[in-house]
């Protein structure tokens, strides 16, 4: 394990505080080591660098802690009861905004909406007084955290929100000192997304229709919105599809901006764009194999700062030369790590650096470029020794229809790669999401227990371009599931895996894929473990129709059902429970606002009715993840016991 003290050494001109790892033999590491968590997670500097805010979990509760960098004083605020923390950010130097979501019951007349919905709310912490208050319209709006623009000094923000689930979004200017709301853009029929320029003027609205997107635009805040053109999703001209657009950014006082477009290559790249003519201009940046996922601008919103993409791992391309130079220094100083400038002051005099690898949960450093000084102040889990973690490799295999499927393979350390037991771990999402080279507690835990772990980025996964995404449309439980099976066959053919010792484990959509794998293909899988898994797709979509939304499709129905309009009940585990022949571990947090607990109880009742071989675990105070150390440890203990019984390593 890592020592807790700091010592300074000179590396490539940086005075760095590092922790010296010890060398340890490969051994069975206790579950409490994997379940441990540091006291600091995702720290963010205030614009003036006087304070930082970070998340903490303690006794099953989530907190935001604000800490002074000069005197070391700190205080923390507990998140509202029965909520999941979504995000947090600074609003000026003395205020922190944060968003939470919660599960609510619906008792309205429109029964087709289901009996539950996800409510999102936003709050503000005043770091001077230590108090917090609600920000937005009256509590009860379904989506209360969509900020279009935040004033640099934290005086106001523009909020896109619906007054109720029956209405389209409007835009309000919210005074952060008083929470007074002024409507600046009224709702318009079928406009779901509004876009503001870098000075806070709402300039564009997007209305999603069956096969096209209508664009409403204005040059100034005093002008009316006019429809300028359609952005066709599928207008076929000479057998070519028209491009898709994403990530609009508009410059104040101009019709020009930046956009992510897949027009040239079928992959999203960064281009200049004229909003009035809808003409895509010169390419600014792209990648030859993967999508550009997003881009960032300077603090004043006038200059490009960076573009982000993922190949085998997450990467950044800096347009800012100063940042690019500092990135090179940091990469040299922390070899073998992903190194990120995760937060900085407005004048760039202080930065928070985050480093990680597949074997290393991660470290946080405070970097002062002028002093060439970088001190490690926290770790994600310092009880993990990276030197005894397993190696993860990025590989590609061929599915049965010839599609190339990227995947991560982790082999247990110290064992011959022959006839080993396998755990397949499909990611969540599923659309537009993917696994990366980040440290994964569950992957390393399973590898330490002797399992090969396969993480396929099956068709429909994000960052691989439109054609790969489209292969996943309408393929949940079908070709997307085939990709998991074909990954197993690939490892069996290489002699690495014993085909008689395979289980499937996942969370959220991955939990669904685990349950469906054991239901659909009992000849392949000895067991399945699901954490917060979807069991009934139609019920989930009634609860949250944005669950399957992605950059390639704002319309969930086409993405989920595809062109042939297949019945989702045909691939929902709860509807096919009579086909299940394998043991199940079913786990869920009772306060989950992403995949509601009813997905668990509905399936549990069906399994109990037929006396299925199943273990049920409920975490009363947890949401879509596990905040409490004891619950994280229990989840790993439950998983270990379940696998030892049904697929021993």
């Amino acid at each position: 394990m890592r020592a807790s003290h700091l010592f300074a050494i000179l590396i490539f001109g940086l005075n760095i505080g590092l922790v010296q790892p010890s060398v340890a033999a490969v051994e069975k590491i206790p579950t409490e080591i994997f379940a441990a968590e540091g006291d600091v997670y995702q720290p963010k500097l205030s614009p003036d660098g006087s304070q930082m805010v970070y998340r903490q979990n303690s006794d099953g509760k989530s907190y935001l802690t604000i800490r002074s960098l000069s005197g070391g004083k700190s205080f923390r605020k507990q998140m509202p009861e029965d909520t999941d923390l979504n995000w947090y950010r600074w609003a000026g130097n003395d205020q922190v905004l944060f968003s939470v979501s919660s599960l609510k019951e619906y008792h309205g007349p429109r029964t087709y909406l289901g009996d539950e919905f996800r409510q999102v709310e936003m709050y503000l912490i005043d770091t001077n007084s230590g108090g917090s208050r609600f920000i937005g319209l009256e509590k009860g709006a379904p989506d209360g955290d969509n900020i279009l623009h935040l004033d640099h000094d934290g005086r106001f923000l523009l909020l896109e929100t619906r007054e109720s689930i029956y209405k389209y979004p409007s835009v309000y200017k919210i005074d952060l000192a008083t929470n007074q709301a002024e409507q600046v853009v009224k709702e318009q029929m079928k406009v779901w997304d509004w876009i503001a320029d870098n000075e806070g003027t709402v300039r564009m609205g997007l209305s999603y229709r069956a096969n096209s997107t209508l664009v409403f635009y204005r040059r100034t805040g005093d002008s009316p919105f006019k429809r300028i053109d359609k952005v066709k999703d599928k207008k076929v001209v000479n057998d070519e599809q028209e491009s898709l657009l994403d990530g609009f950014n508009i410059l104040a006082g101009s019709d020009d901006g930046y956009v992510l477009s897949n027009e040239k290559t079928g992959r999203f790249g960064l281009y200049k764009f004229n909003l009035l003519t809808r003409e895509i201009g010169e390419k600014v940046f792209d990648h030859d194999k993967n999508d550009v996922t997003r881009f960032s601008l300077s603090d004043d919103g006038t200059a490009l700062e960076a573009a982000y993409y993922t190949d085998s791992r997450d990467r950044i391309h800096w347009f800012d030369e100063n940042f690019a130079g500092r990135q090179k220094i940091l990469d040299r100083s922390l070899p073998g790590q992903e190194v990120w400038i995760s937060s900085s002051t407005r004048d760039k005099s202080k930065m928070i650096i985050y480093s990680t690898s597949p074997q290393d949960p991660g470290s946080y450093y405070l970097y002062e470029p002028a002093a060439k000084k970088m001190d490690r102040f926290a770790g994600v889990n310092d009880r993990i020794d990276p030197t005894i973690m397993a190696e993860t490799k990025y590989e590609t295999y061929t599915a049965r229809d010839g599609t190339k499927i990227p995947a991560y393979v982790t082999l247990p350390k110290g064992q011959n790669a022959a006839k080993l037991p396998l755990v397949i771990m499909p990611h969540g999402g599923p659309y537009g999401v993917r696994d990366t080279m980040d440290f994964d507690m569950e992957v390393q835990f399973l590898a330490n227990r002797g399992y090969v772990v396969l993480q396929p980025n099956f068709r429909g996964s994000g960052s691989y371009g439109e054609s790969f995404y489209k292969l996943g449309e309408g393929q949940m439980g079908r070709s997307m599931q085939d990709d998991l099976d074909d990954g197993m066959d690939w490892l069996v053919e290489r002699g690495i895996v014993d085909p008689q010792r395979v289980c499937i484990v996942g969370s959220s959509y991955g939990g669904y894929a685990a349950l469906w794998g054991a239901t659909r293909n009992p000849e392949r899988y000895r067991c399945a473990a699901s954490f917060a898994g979807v069991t009934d797709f139609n019920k989930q979509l009634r609860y949250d129709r944005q669950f399957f939304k992605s950059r390639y499709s704002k319309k969930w129905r086409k993405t989920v059902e595809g062109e042939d309009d297949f019945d989702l009940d045909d691939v929902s585990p709860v509807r096919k429970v009579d086909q299940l022949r394998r043991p199940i571990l079913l786990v869920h947090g009772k306060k989950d606002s992403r995949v509601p607990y009813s997905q668990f109880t509905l399936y549990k009742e069906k399994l109990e009715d037929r006396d299925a071989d199943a273990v049920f675990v409920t975490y009363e105070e947890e949401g879509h993840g596990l905040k409490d150390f004891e619950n994280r440890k229990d989840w790993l203990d439950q998983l270990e016991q379940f696998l030892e019984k049904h697929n021993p390593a």
Side-chain angles (χ1 to χ4, degrees), residues 9 102 158 188 232 397 404 435 438 494-495 499 533 544 583 592 609 627 636:
I9 57 177
S102 57
L158 295 184
Q188 296 190 25
K232 297 275 189 178
Y397 61 89
K404 300 295 183 183
D435 275 319
D438 293 345
R494 294 170 64 185
D544 181 8
D592 193 337
D609 286 345
K627 296 177 285 191
L636 296 180

Side-chain angles (χ1 to χ4, degrees), residues 261-316:
S261 169
N262 69 347
E263 179 184 44
K264 307 294 184 183
T265 64
R267 299 179 304 276
F268 279 101
L270 177 60
Y271 295 84
K272 292 182 178 180
F273 186 68
N274 185 280
L275 280 299
L276 193 60
T277 64
R278 215 202 68 180
E279 291 181 355
I280 297 174
E282 66 178 281
K283 180 180 69 178
V284 180
F285 177 78
D286 73 351
H287 186 264
D288 62 352
K289 293 182 180 178
N290 297 94
D291 290 321
V292 175
T293 52
R294 64 185 179 93
F295 62 96
S296 60
L297 302 176
S298 58
D299 287 334
D300 62 6
T302 60
L304 284 170
E305 187 176 76
Y308 303 82
Y309 65 97
T310 305
D311 46 26
S312 62
R313 46 155 283 193
D314 294 324
R315 299 188 190 273
I316 186 169

Side-chain angles (χ1 to χ4, degrees), residues 82-135:
D82 302 335
T83 64
D84 285 325
L85 176 62
N86 298 321
W87 56 258
Y88 49 95
R89 62 187 292 187
W90 286 95
N93 294 317
D94 304 308
Q95 302 174 129
V96 175
L97 286 166
F98 68 89
S99 163
V100 293
S101 57
S102 57
L103 176 67
K104 301 295 181 183
E105 293 184 357
Y106 174 69
H107 301 291
R110 303 187 184 187
T111 56
Y112 62 86
L113 293 173
D115 54 8
E116 299 168 307
F117 69 95
R118 182 174 184 252
Q119 182 170 295
V120 180
E121 296 177 335
M122 186 164 54
Y123 294 82
L124 181 144
I125 300 172
D126 185 322
T127 66
N128 292 319
S129 68
S132 63
R133 59 184 183 273
F134 172 78
I135 294 294

Side-chain angles (χ1 to χ4, degrees), residues 529-570:
S530 166
F531 181 92
V534 178
T535 63
D536 185 332
F537 276 126
N538 280 312
K539 183 176 178 63
Q540 178 66 22
L541 286 166
R542 286 194 298 272
Y543 169 73
D544 181 8
R545 294 198 174 191
Q546 303 302 309
F547 189 77
F548 296 109
K549 183 177 177 180
S550 78
R551 70 192 310 182
Y552 281 108
S553 180
K554 307 300 182 184
K555 294 288 186 178
W556 64 266
R557 187 175 299 278
K558 179 183 174 185
T559 299
V560 174
E561 296 181 347
E563 299 292 349
D564 54 357
D565 199 33
F566 83 99
D567 189 345
L568 289 170
D569 283 348
D570 290 342

Side-chain angles (χ1 to χ4, degrees), residues 570-623:
D570 290 342
V571 293
S572 290
V574 76
R575 304 300 173 189
K576 301 295 180 180
V577 69
D578 289 339
Q579 297 180 15
L580 183 66
R581 300 290 183 269
R582 293 300 186 186
I584 296 295
L585 172 61
L586 195 68
V587 183
H588 218 107
K590 197 168 187 178
K591 297 179 179 179
D592 193 337
S593 63
R594 181 64 172 157
V595 178
Y597 184 62
S598 57
Q599 292 281 333
F600 170 92
T601 56
L602 187 63
Y603 194 48
K604 177 177 180 287
E605 290 169 1
K606 296 284 188 179
L607 293 174
E608 288 177 331
D609 286 345
R610 61 185 300 273
D611 197 26
D613 186 354
V615 177
F616 306 110
V617 180
T618 293
Y619 296 115
E620 296 287 335
E621 300 298 321
E622 298 286 8

